[in-house]
Amino acid sequence: MAADSERAIMIGDGPNDLLAGRSAGLPLVWVSYGYSNMPVETPGADAVIDRFAALPRALSRLMAYTKPR
């Protein structure tokens, strides 16, 4: 995709998403309405969204505070 990995953010709703994002050193947006039964507080996400429409705002906020690695 020729994307810049320095500006990547993981979006997930399950334990594998959490592990993959954290292993890659990425900020994490946790989707509370996904298939996982993990409590929202468990992953320690950088942002939590309760509906898809909230994703653009969460991404904008994280990108403003994400420094290149």
Side-chain angles (χ1 to χ4, degrees):
M1 291 181 55
D4 182 1
S5 64
E6 298 290 318
R7 297 177 47 90
I9 295 175
M10 182 66 173
I11 302 166
D13 64 352
N16 291 334
D17 301 326
L18 171 67
L19 292 171
R22 291 301 184 216
S23 293
L26 300 175
L28 176 71
V29 175
W30 187 256
V31 178
S32 68
Y33 55 88
Y35 76 92
S36 178
N37 59 1
M38 289 175 63
V40 171
E41 301 81 23
T42 300
D46 300 294
V48 177
I49 61 170
D50 297 319
R51 61 190 205 296
F52 186 74
L55 183 58
R57 184 174 182 206
L59 293 175
S60 293
R61 189 172 50 93
L62 286 175
M63 293 307 296
Y65 295 106
T66 302
K67 296 179 182 171
R69 295 183 298 279

